[in-house]
Amino acid sequence: MTNTPVLVCRQLAKRYKDGQLETPVLSDVNLTINAGDRIAIVGSSGSGKSTLLHLLGGLDSPTSGDIEVLGQSLAALSVGKLSQLRNQSLGFVYQFHHLLPEFSAVENVAMPLVIGGQKPSAAKKAAEALLEKVGLSHRLAHKPSELSGGERQRAALARALITNPACLLADEPTGNLDHRTAEGIFDLIMELNQQMNTALVIVTHDRQLAARMDKVYTLVDGKLSL
């Protein structure tokens, strides 16, 4: 299994249809991501970067083409199996943290493990350890409204990585933060990528951040190129 790419997409296309009007967003996108890879996807606003990330994460279906995660074709999976694969093998971080407001930081981070069937006590212990790793051991019981923007994004990052996913998909993960906080979050993402050997795919407008990745792909007119 070690030689199996984490994520592969072949001839991926996405078109949105509204009555007679068809809008092409992605066309003939091919991409192979291996364990530990660090990939940035850049492009102008509206170029389809977020659409591509949603397709890679199984959050949306392509019009044509195929996506495989750890050798499994997403199109061949039932809704339940797809949810299970997403929960166990993929982590997601967005520009906005999407933490659940009524739960504490440790409860938010533990949730993917609980959903995956782990005992709440074991999930909580794992969440505490990871929150300590991202510098939030003093904020375990705090709710999102009691955390700063940077702290919320650290908690969101911990939640994305709690299942030790094969791939982390990050959509403008520092786009909502000031420059200094953004740098800190990005450094943390890179550090955890190295420690956990999790493949990393980041969609970003920030060319400086993108330049720190192993490969930078550009999305123009629905086509992806190095």
Side-chain angles (χ1 to χ4, degrees):
M1 199 65 168
T2 48
N3 294 327
T4 304
V6 168
L7 209 153
V8 178
C9 69
R10 298 182 189 90
Q11 297 178 310
L12 207 61
K14 182 69 178 178
R15 296 183 295 278
Y16 290 107
K17 209 167 182 179
D18 183 10
Q20 294 299 306
L21 188 66
E22 199 170 70
T23 309
V25 181
L26 298 170
S27 171
D28 197 29
V29 172
N30 296 283
L31 184 63
T32 299
I33 298 159
N34 295 298
D37 278 0
R38 299 191 291 198
I39 287 168
I41 298 172
V42 298
S44 60
S45 189
S47 61
K49 301 187 303 296
S50 295
T51 299
L52 177 56
L53 213 61
H54 288 159
L55 292 174
L56 296 179
L59 298 168
D60 194 4
S61 301
T63 307
S64 60
D66 189 41
I67 300 161
E68 287 181 4
V69 174
L70 297 173
Q72 295 188 75
S73 170
L74 299 189
L77 298 176
S78 65
V79 173
K81 289 285 185 191
L82 180 59
S83 295
Q84 189 180 21
L85 183 72
R86 274 202 307 261
N87 174 264
Q88 293 172 357
S89 303
L90 299 172
F92 300 90
V93 182
Y94 303 97
Q95 182 173 351
F96 300 98
H97 56 82
H98 294 299
L99 297 169
L100 296 170
E102 65 272 30
F103 293 104
S104 67
V106 74
E107 288 167 339
N108 265 289
V109 174
M111 203 160 293
L113 293 179
V114 174
I115 289 169
Q118 210 170 108
K119 284 183 180 174
S121 55
K124 184 170 180 270
K125 197 173 175 184
E128 285 171 354
L130 194 47
L131 281 165
E132 185 175 354
K133 200 175 268 192
V134 301
L136 287 179
S137 55
H138 60 306
R139 291 279 196 252
L140 300 180
H142 288 64
K143 291 184 176 173
S145 60
E146 300 168 313
L147 302 174
S148 70
E151 287 171 340
R152 286 195 286 264
Q153 205 60 332
R154 282 169 179 263
L157 181 58
R159 180 184 58 186
L161 292 170
I162 191 68
T163 59
N164 200 5
C167 186
L168 177 69
L169 301 168
D171 193 356
E172 298 284 3
T174 59
N176 205 31
L177 304 170
D178 65 78
H179 181 71
R180 189 174 165 208
T181 308
E183 281 282 325
I185 294 290
F186 194 81
D187 288 344
L188 183 61
I189 288 173
M190 299 292 267
E191 187 184 321
L192 292 171
N193 151 266
Q194 212 163 18
Q195 286 176 9
M196 301 169 83
N197 203 33
T198 294
L200 183 56
V201 181
I202 290 188
V203 157
T204 182
H205 277 104
D206 192 326
R207 295 270 177 176
Q208 278 184 307
L209 292 186
R212 293 171 59 187
M213 307 290 275
D214 298 331
K215 289 179 184 173
V216 181
Y217 287 87
T218 305
L219 198 54
V220 181
D221 295 332
K223 292 191 180 290
L224 192 69
S225 59
L226 266 175

